Amino acid sequence: GLGPILFGSTVSETIAFFGVPDKNKMDEFGDQELLYKEHNLTFSFSRDFNFYLTHIGTERETLTLNGMKLFGKTESEIKRFIKMELIAKISKEDGCIHEDGHIQTWIAVNNLNISFWFHDDELYLIDILCDWNDDDTPRWPEGSTAWNERRKNLEKKQIQM
């Protein structure tokens, strides 16, 4: 998460902390997105998981990771950073050429739940995802609303048995 906003937080908790977003919309998958232009942050809340926070995207140019400023770096510089600084392996790579001739590529580091997006070989977006137990089950951080709700539901089941 980000500060007190943990993965598994609700839309209302995020708005209470960051204030009213510049945009509050549903995406093509039915997930809710809050966009904060001043912070260069997008928070995504999954329809499949009761609209809990599952994804944070940032275009914040001042962001650093392990002390390194990443935005503006090339794809090869980020790949070297992933290998040497994060000591991680790239899980997936993909890309496409848009009709206007611009090239968009991305690389994912699944064990860190981070994707790096490039436009014409320059990093412009970092996506951070919640942890997952498997492809269908998020691992909510302890203390998040989703974690507390799951715990209450498990306690109810135990009482009913």
Side-chain angles (χ1 to χ4, degrees), residues 52 147-161:
Y52 290 128
W147 184 85
N148 290 330
E149 189 65 30
R150 183 173 184 276
R151 195 170 119 222
K152 280 187 222 171
N153 288 337
L154 289 174
E155 288 171 358
K156 283 181 189 176
K157 286 180 184 177
Q158 288 175 350
I159 292 170
Q160 291 173 355
M161 292 182 164

Side-chain angles (χ1 to χ4, degrees), residues 100-138:
D100 61 5
H102 291 284
I103 299 171
Q104 182 173 326
T105 56
W106 64 271
I107 50 181
V109 184
N110 286 351
N111 63 324
L112 299 177
N113 298 319
I114 299 176
S115 295
F116 299 89
W117 292 81
F118 302 87
H119 182 79
D120 292 337
D121 199 37
E122 183 177 305
L123 181 68
Y124 78 94
L125 175 69
I126 297 175
D127 279 331
I128 305 163
L129 303 168
C130 67
D131 284 334
W132 294 82
N133 290 323
D134 55 47
D135 287 344
D136 300 319
T137 313

Side-chain angles (χ1 to χ4, degrees), residues 56-95:
I56 300 171
T58 184
E59 298 175 30
R60 191 176 195 127
E61 293 184 6
T62 58
L63 178 90
T64 61
L65 190 56
N66 283 11
M68 180 180 224
K69 185 179 172 188
L70 300 177
F71 284 91
K73 301 280 185 201
T74 66
E75 188 172 346
S76 61
E77 289 172 316
I78 295 297
K79 285 180 178 180
R80 192 169 32 259
F81 173 77
I82 292 167
K83 183 178 178 183
M84 304 302 285
E85 294 293 323
L86 300 180
I87 310 171
K89 292 183 180 176
I90 294 170
S91 310
K92 295 179 188 173
E93 297 181 60
D94 204 355

